[in-house]
Every structure is written in C-alpha cells, then in structure tokens.
Amino acid sequence: MADAASQVLLGSGLTILSQPLMYVKVLIQVGYEPLPPTIGRNIFGRQVCQLPGLFCYAQHIASIDGKRGLFTGLTPRLCSGVLGTVVHGKVLQHYQECDKVEELGPGNIQKEVSSSFDRVIKETTREMMARSAATLITHPFHVITLRSMVQFIGRESKYCGLSDSIVTIYREEGILGFFAGLIPRLLGDIISLWLCNSLAYLVNTYALDSGVSTMNEMKSYSQAVTGFFASMLTYPFVLVSNLMAVNNCGLAGGCPPYSPVYASWIDCWCTLQKEGNMSRGNSLFFRKVPFGKTYCCDLRMLI
C-alpha cells in the first residue's frame, strides 16, 4: 500500500512538472504554429531558419492565458495518471498472487529454472497486459486532456470541466468518442515495450561481459538506452493517436487548416507519411521549418 501511494505521489508530481511541456507538444503536433520562424543555429553551429522552441512557445501561451494557462488539462491528466498507476499495480499484483498459488498448491512439482529468455518473455507479457489494461481504462481522460489543450487554438471553451467534458463527448459521439485514437496508442505501447525489452536482453546477454564488476549498473544503462530508442521508433503511433483523439471533434484544432479530417487512423498515418510529418512535435528545441511550408523568414540573413 505504501509503495502504491508513493508511486502515485511521485507520478502526480512529475505530471504537474511536465504539464507545460506536454501542452506545447500537443499544440505543435496538431500543426499550430502561431509564431514565425527565427534565425538560429543548429547543433553544428550553422545559421538556419528554425521555428520557435519550447520556451518561446510557452511564453506565447502565458502571454494570452497567463502562467496558469500552461496547466490547462492538468485535472484529467492527473486522474489518468493516478487511475493508470492503480490499475497497472493491481494487474501485476494479480499475476504475483497466481504465482504464489502455483508454488504453494498441493502436489506441486518443482519446475526447472526457466531460461533468462523465457523469463523475459513472461515478464514482458505480464507488463504488456498491465499497461494495456491501464491504457484502456484511462484513455477517456487522455482524450479529454488533449481536447482541453487543443481548444486553445480556436479559443473555445467546450472542454473546460471534467464532468462537462464527459457529458459533451457522450452526447455528440457516444461511447466510442471516449476511445478515439486508442488503437494506435495501444499498438505503440506494445511495440515499444517488446522492442525495448528484446533489445535490452540482446545487449545484456551478448554485448556485455558478465565478468565486469559494474554489470548491474551497465544493464540499467542499457535498459534506459533501449527504452529511448524504442520510444523514438514508435513516436509516429503517439502522433497519430493524439491527432485522432481530436480529429473532427468540433474544435478548430481538429479541423482544417490545422488538421485534415481523417477517415481512420490508417488514413491519418498515410497522410502524415506522404507529407513527411511523421516526426512532427518530436523535437521541442531544434525545430526546422517543414518542407513546403511558407513562413515570413528573411533567408538572406543566412548568407
């Protein structure tokens, strides 16, 4: 119980701190660019025409809605985080209790120690079930969070309160409206998890020397690196999921010109791929001007 409470408190704290970052990221993902590009330098020191980064974007939001406006959508996101942590923990606890019953059952014959690969498969499968259950139950709050943020574009007030948002979605879209964008989100989570754990297993088993004294530390680093790599590869699923959650929901940010009306998440994926926007919103600092976009940027200053 104490561990669960500490996880909830820690998760809530991180959610609050990261809220402005997510707010900016979501607005960029739907294609909202209120500020013109500026002359800056890339990581190699070369002058380039680039879009404003996280801090400039956040200052723009604060200049309109105040600093408190940077935390728009925090309430449903906190609800999602708390509920997701509880559900995730309950599912894993259920598996642990099942293991204890098998071990203490009558006539139980001690099984041979499973290989490390079998153990990875078993643990990853259980983690997948726990994450999927948490995602399925908390997705309605995720949808409300995204729509609360995106309505900044059209200055609407359609999704202001949690209860009002629930009533609005149910009245206009029915039960399915609460699960808009769920499929790509689930697929992204599952692929990222399996990719991360599989790569970590291969690195820890075949690339690291088991005789090194800092083996445990090296394995923790490899897990972090493979996790980051997996999240980068599956980012398009996150982008498509967020776009589908706000697509054609009655907000300016979910309709043209910011976002086309997609027939399905596959249509959204194909459209983004054709436009070369599969990584839109992935970077919040060094943001290059998308190909084909027209902005008021004096490129002669780069010469």
Side-chain angles (χ1 to χ4, degrees), residues 87-160:
V87 172
H88 182 272
K90 289 294 184 181
V91 174
L92 292 182
Q93 183 180 2
H94 171 72
Y95 282 120
Q96 292 173 358
E97 292 175 352
C98 290
D99 287 342
K100 291 181 180 179
V101 172
E102 291 180 1
E103 292 175 359
L104 300 176
N108 181 49
I109 302 176
Q110 186 176 3
K111 298 180 180 180
E112 296 182 0
V113 179
S114 59
S115 65
S116 58
F117 180 73
D118 292 336
R119 187 165 61 252
V120 169
I121 295 295
K122 182 179 180 181
E123 293 177 355
T124 303
T125 301
R126 292 182 173 184
E127 180 67 19
M128 178 188 68
M129 297 302 295
R131 289 192 186 185
S132 298
T135 298
L136 181 64
I137 293 177
T138 62
H139 193 74
F141 294 101
H142 181 67
V143 172
I144 296 174
T145 298
L146 295 176
R147 295 186 180 185
S148 299
M149 295 175 174
V150 170
Q151 67 183 359
F152 171 84
I153 298 174
R155 308 304 299 161
E156 296 110 333
S157 57
K158 190 175 181 180
Y159 299 93
C160 287

Side-chain angles (χ1 to χ4, degrees), residues 10 23 38 82 117 129 140 149 156 162 171 174 182 211 242 253 292 298 303:
L10 178 60
Y23 194 4
T38 58
V82 172
F117 180 73
M129 297 302 295
M149 295 175 174
E156 296 110 333
L162 182 59
R171 183 177 63 247
L182 175 62
N242 289 351
D298 191 358
I303 302 176

Side-chain angles (χ1 to χ4, degrees), residues 30 150 153 243 246-256 258-262:
V30 298
V150 170
I153 298 174
L243 290 178
V246 301
N247 184 56
N248 199 25
C249 65
L251 298 176
C255 301
Y258 299 106
S259 177
V261 176
Y262 303 109

